[in-house]
Amino acid sequence: MSSNQNNKGKGDGQGPRKKGLIIGAILWAVILVVFFHFLVKEISNAGTKEVPYSEFVQMVQEDKVAAVEMTANKYTFYLKEDLPEQGKEGKEQDLAKVLTQQMEKGGVTRYVASPLPEKDQELLPMLREHKVKFYSPVQEESSYLARMMINYVIPMVIMVGVLIFIMRRMGGGMGGLGGVGKANAKVYMEKSTGITFADVAGQDEAKESLVEIIDILHNPGKYTEIGAKLPKGALLVGPPGTGKTLLAKAVAGEANVPFFSISGSDFVEMFVGVGASRVRDLFKEANKVAPCIVFIDEIDTIGKSRDNRMGGNDEREQTLNQLLAEMDGFDPTKGVILLAATNRPEVLDQALLRPGRFDRRITIDRPNLAGRLTTLQVHTRRIRLAEDVDLKKVALATAGCVGADLANLVNEAALRAVRLGRRAVNQKDLLAAFELVIAGTEKKGSVLTEFEKKLVAYHEVGHAMVAYKQKNTEPVQKITIVPHTQGSLGYTLLMPEEDKTELRTRDELLARIAVSMGGRAAEEVVLNTMTNGAAQDIQDATAIARNMVAMYGMSDRFGMMALASKRSQYLEGGYGMDCAQDTAAALDEAVQKILEQCYSTAVQTIRDSREEMDRVVAYLLEKETITGAEMVALIQGKDPALAEENQPEVASLAGSVAEGASSMVQAAPGKQLDREISDEEETSTEKAAPPPQNGPKDET
């Protein structure tokens, strides 16, 4: 008990901080009291003119003076020309009242003259002779000490009390002016969060790494007995939406300990040194309630690498230095575990990542098929599902999605079910929600001309035909020419038959480029034109080809040579060039060569499949939305209606947009589609296309 009291008075610096606060409040109070006295004096002297005593006597003799207020140290007088009519008659007390009112209104000049050191015996007879009214104000006798108390001491004491009260209320303690040094960390108890590992799915490897931290919080002696040093912190890294914050809360919930949560931006203020003060305050509060979890979200805000661009007084650098010192100083045997999350681990300072500070680095990556399935099961626990729901098929369709995407998909499906008057979510709701996320809602009021529909149909079937004819591609699941709100006039969805890793062969990448080029190839071969609808396709194809040359070592010219490096891998920030300008120009030539090769492949595929394409396009123009099985049946000369009946429900809407396997035709607003058409086609453009049929919900 005594040690805690000593630490409270000495170790934590509360004593000096309290003294500094009191001294600062007193100084501010003195300044404010003197300022207000000076201000009141200036206001009271407004409209006052000081004259010599001789001039005062002369004005009396010239009958210019109307009234004189006489005190021990000054004579205040007013001229007859400034005196209002109602004040020329009456008693002296009434005159004083009238003069005061007139002074407040303005227009009356008050003259002040200092009396002579020796009393002038002739002044009073002179005032009577010239009929000047004179009087002395009634003054209560008070000592000099009493006047000092009333005018200065009491206002100063009140001001000091008010300032200290305001500082404490704003800061929640003695944390400095306005409390800017207070940590302001939110403390979550297990009963308030209610989050455990059962609420986190798809991150089994990460949970296994954190289970030991929970055991350390409960049984630290088991580890110290053998001589092991307890880890001080763990760094959670991964893409946005993968559940880093949720996982940190789950650790606190499983361990049933307090959970401190603060963002990295909360440490940074306009005042230098505030961030360091907040770091000290955070660890001090954590030590009081240990064992506990301290979680710093977006730690890259204060943990960026220190370099020459940061000055010695930089706020972020001082905050980082204090964080490093605190992590070295606190005792992990007390049960304080520091967790931090970031999307940009590559920018963190190496001193922060070394062993002894953040001892473990846990990657929270995008979930695989099994992880997506368990995540969907977690998010649908409180959702009423119909019997036809197959979450495994939905998980297969959402390759590349993170936990936040899946939670949004389930919520959109529930909203759609309520909107349609159903009391349970069925499979169509989930699939329609998936389409809503990737393409937006249907533009039911949008009407395409016959030529535009034909052009969009050939564009989309061009993608699908190249994908069907090429090896190393994913099967086509849906083709639609129904416009959607995210700018697409139609799109083609491809879905892998099984959950694949990020590993891709050179042939697979070339096939994906060729599929992206299929839309433009169909425009050129069939309609002998080009449109701006292929803009996104060209960007996707160029990005793949550039990665093949610059990063994957898949070009004949450069071979196994890295020309670029990844930037912000978890934020998809692209890459930076690590080569000379001449080499970069040669890189562009190699990329162009790959694109031309793949485009030639797509053009040749379209020419060889022209008859089959015409059958698919005719059917697509009639139905507006078809499945991949229907397209295959048309190519093989079978009845597409029978293929539709046998097609699994998920196939009509599944896709893998996150892996870049979708193709959408986009038209820039306000631009005309370039076309070369005959007179008959020209006439047909004036006819409006029929409104879209039921759209995504009836595509199966």
Side-chain angles (χ1 to χ4, degrees):
M1 188 72 178
S2 59
S3 62
N4 292 336
Q5 293 177 350
N6 293 336
N7 291 335
K8 185 177 181 180
K10 298 178 183 179
D12 58 2
Q14 287 289 337
R17 293 166 70 181
K18 290 181 179 179
K19 292 179 181 178
L21 177 62
I22 295 174
I23 293 174
I26 292 175
L27 291 176
W28 276 108
V30 171
I31 294 173
L32 292 176
V33 169
V34 172
F35 172 76
F36 283 128
H37 271 281
F38 176 77
L39 185 63
V40 170
K41 183 178 179 181
E42 289 295 323
I43 294 175
S44 62
N45 290 335
T48 301
K49 182 178 181 181
E50 187 174 355
V51 298
Y53 183 77
S54 59
E55 186 175 346
F56 163 62
V57 173
Q58 182 179 355
M59 289 182 178
V60 173
Q61 292 175 352
E62 294 176 356
D63 290 332
K64 293 182 179 181
V65 180
V68 181
E69 180 183 295
M70 307 182 71
T71 59
N73 56 353
K74 67 179 180 178
Y75 296 155
T76 304
F77 61 95
Y78 305 88
L79 302 182
K80 290 180 179 180
E81 60 185 16
D82 296 334
L83 189 65
E85 293 295 331
Q86 65 270 24
K88 294 182 179 179
E89 302 295 338
K91 298 180 180 180
E92 286 79 358
Q93 291 79 1
D94 296 334
L95 177 62
K97 183 177 180 181
V98 171
L99 290 171
T100 303
Q101 294 176 353
Q102 195 69 12
M103 284 291 298
E104 293 177 354
K105 295 179 181 179
V108 176
T109 303
R110 178 170 52 191
Y111 295 88
V112 176
S114 299
L116 297 175
E118 296 180 1
K119 189 174 182 181
D120 188 358
Q121 301 295 335
E122 299 178 356
L123 178 60
L124 295 181
M126 185 188 307
L127 296 177
R128 292 189 181 96
E129 179 183 354
H130 293 277
K131 297 181 180 182
V132 177
K133 297 180 180 182
F134 57 91
Y135 59 93
S136 295
V138 179
Q139 296 182 351
E140 297 181 0
E141 294 185 1
S142 60
S143 64
Y144 175 77
L145 182 61
R147 291 197 300 271
M148 287 291 296
M149 291 288 294
I150 295 174
N151 294 333
Y152 293 97
V153 178
I154 295 178
M156 193 177 301
V157 172
I158 295 175
M159 193 72 69
V160 170
V162 170
L163 288 174
I164 293 178
F165 174 77
I166 292 175
M167 292 178 183
R168 286 181 173 177
R169 291 290 295 178
M170 292 180 64
M174 296 294 184
L177 181 60
V180 293
K182 191 69 176 175
N184 296 325
K186 296 179 181 179
V187 181
Y188 295 93
M189 307 299 289
E190 188 273 336
K191 62 180 181 180
S192 63
T193 58
I195 298 174
T196 63
F197 280 162
D199 301 303
V200 183
Q203 303 294 341
D204 295 336
E205 296 81 2
K207 287 193 289 187
E208 290 177 2
S209 301
L210 294 171
V211 165
E212 189 176 14
I213 291 180
I214 298 174
D215 191 37
I216 290 173
L217 291 173
H218 286 297
N219 306 301
K222 182 172 64 175
Y223 297 89
T224 57
E225 181 180 358
I226 200 174
K229 293 184 178 180
L230 305 184
K232 293 185 177 181
L235 183 65
L236 309 178
V237 299
T242 50
K244 297 182 290 297
T245 304
L246 185 67
L247 196 58
K249 290 183 179 180
V251 173
E254 289 285 343
N256 195 16
V257 296
F259 178 67
F260 286 79
S261 176
I262 189 169
S263 175
S265 60
D266 292 335
F267 290 105
V268 181
E269 290 282 353
M270 64 178 295
F271 304 104
V272 176
V274 171
S277 176
R278 288 185 173 177
V279 171
R280 289 192 298 269
D281 185 77
L282 176 63
F283 280 89
K284 182 189 67 177
E285 294 296 328
N287 284 323
K288 290 180 181 179
V289 296
C292 64
I293 298 289
V294 177
F295 177 66
I296 302 177
D297 198 7
E298 305 296 343
I299 194 173
D300 52 273
T301 305
I302 59 173
K304 288 184 179 179
S305 177
R306 294 166 291 182
D307 51 31
N308 295 330
R309 292 176 295 176
M310 300 176 63
N313 292 326
D314 187 88
E315 170 68 355
R316 287 182 174 84
E317 183 174 352
Q318 291 197 15
T319 304
L320 175 58
N321 291 336
Q322 185 63 41
L323 178 62
L324 297 176
E326 291 291 340
M327 293 186 69
D328 281 340
F330 79 89
D331 186 4
T333 59
K334 294 182 179 180
V336 178
I337 300 296
L338 182 63
L339 299 179
T342 181
N343 303 319
R344 301 187 296 167
E346 66 277 355
V347 303
L348 295 179
D349 194 276
Q350 293 301 315
L352 196 63
L353 301 177
R354 73 162 176 81
R357 291 193 174 118
F358 282 109
D359 301 278
R360 296 186 177 183
R361 178 168 172 170
I362 302 174
T363 301
I364 316 296
D365 211 343
R366 299 180 185 273
N368 55 16
L369 176 60
R372 292 194 301 276
L373 178 59
T374 55
T375 302
L376 287 170
Q377 292 171 348
V378 168
H379 290 305
T380 55
R381 284 185 307 187
R382 297 178 177 86
I383 302 295
R384 185 177 299 172
L385 300 178
E387 295 180 357
D388 65 336
V389 172
D390 189 346
L391 294 179
K392 185 175 181 181
K393 294 180 180 179
V394 179
L396 184 63
T398 53
C401 293
V402 297
D405 298 328
L406 300 176
N408 184 40
L409 186 148
V410 171
N411 186 63
E412 289 291 345
L415 294 177
R416 182 179 187 271
V418 174
R419 188 165 56 248
L420 297 178
R422 289 197 297 271
R423 302 187 62 183
V425 176
N426 59 24
Q427 187 77 350
K428 287 186 178 180
D429 292 326
L430 291 169
L431 299 175
F434 177 73
E435 183 178 27
L436 176 65
V437 172
I438 64 172
T441 57
E442 292 183 16
K443 289 184 179 180
K444 296 183 179 180
S446 178
V447 178
L448 298 179
T449 64
E450 292 297 329
F451 173 77
E452 289 173 341
K453 290 183 63 177
K454 181 178 179 182
L455 192 148
V456 174
Y458 271 106
H459 184 107
E460 295 304 332
V461 174
H463 289 300
M465 189 61 65
V466 175
Y468 177 76
K469 295 292 185 178
Q470 290 283 309
K471 295 181 180 180
N472 303 307
T473 59
E474 296 159 348
V476 179
Q477 297 298 332
K478 177 181 178 181
I479 310 172
T480 181
I481 56 173
V482 178
H484 286 71
T485 56
Q486 292 187 4
S488 61
L489 299 178
Y491 60 87
T492 300
L493 289 180
L494 310 177
M495 186 193 74
E497 295 178 342
E498 58 184 6
D499 191 48
K500 297 187 65 175
T501 63
E502 293 295 328
L503 186 63
R504 295 289 184 269
T505 65
R506 186 175 187 272
D507 292 337
E508 289 176 335
L509 294 175
L510 292 175
R512 288 179 62 178
I513 297 176
V515 171
S516 298
M517 296 292 188
R520 170 59 65 84
E523 293 175 1
E524 183 176 355
V525 172
V526 179
L527 299 175
N528 194 27
T529 187
M530 297 181 183
T531 70
N532 58 355
Q536 187 63 45
D537 300 329
I538 295 173
Q539 291 183 12
D540 295 340
T542 304
I544 296 174
R546 189 172 295 275
N547 285 335
M548 291 176 63
V549 177
M551 301 183 64
Y552 303 157
M554 294 182 179
S555 68
D556 297 332
R557 178 167 183 177
F558 296 103
M560 297 289 293
M561 178 180 179
L563 305 178
S565 57
K566 191 74 174 177
R567 301 284 193 270
S568 300
Q569 59 176 336
Y570 296 117
L571 295 178
E572 299 180 357
Y575 53 84
M577 301 302 298
D578 297 331
C579 60
Q581 293 183 357
D582 295 340
T583 307
L587 184 149
D588 292 337
E589 295 177 0
V591 171
Q592 184 180 9
K593 182 178 179 181
I594 293 177
L595 295 176
E596 290 177 351
Q597 174 187 348
C598 294
Y599 184 68
S600 299
T601 302
V603 169
Q604 188 61 41
T605 303
I606 298 297
R607 288 174 177 170
D608 296 341
S609 309
R610 176 63 188 275
E611 183 179 351
E612 298 169 342
M613 281 189 65
D614 291 340
R615 292 200 302 269
V616 176
V617 167
Y619 188 74
L620 179 61
L621 289 173
E622 177 185 354
K623 304 286 288 186
E624 292 192 335
T625 298
I626 65 174
T627 65
E630 291 176 290
M631 183 195 76
V632 174
L634 288 168
I635 294 175
Q636 296 176 353
K638 299 178 182 178
D639 186 1
L642 299 178
E644 183 178 4
E645 292 177 0
N646 298 327
Q647 179 69 4
E649 184 178 9
V650 71
S652 63
L653 198 52
S656 181
V657 175
E659 295 184 355
S662 69
S663 171
M664 298 187 180
V665 177
Q666 299 179 343
K671 293 186 177 181
Q672 297 288 338
L673 290 173
D674 298 331
R675 55 188 182 268
E676 297 178 8
I677 55 179
S678 63
D679 295 338
E680 294 180 359
E681 291 174 328
E682 215 170 290
T683 305
S684 68
T685 57
E686 299 177 359
K687 300 179 181 180
Q693 302 180 7
N694 293 328
K697 63 180 181 181
D698 290 333
E699 71 279 352
T700 54

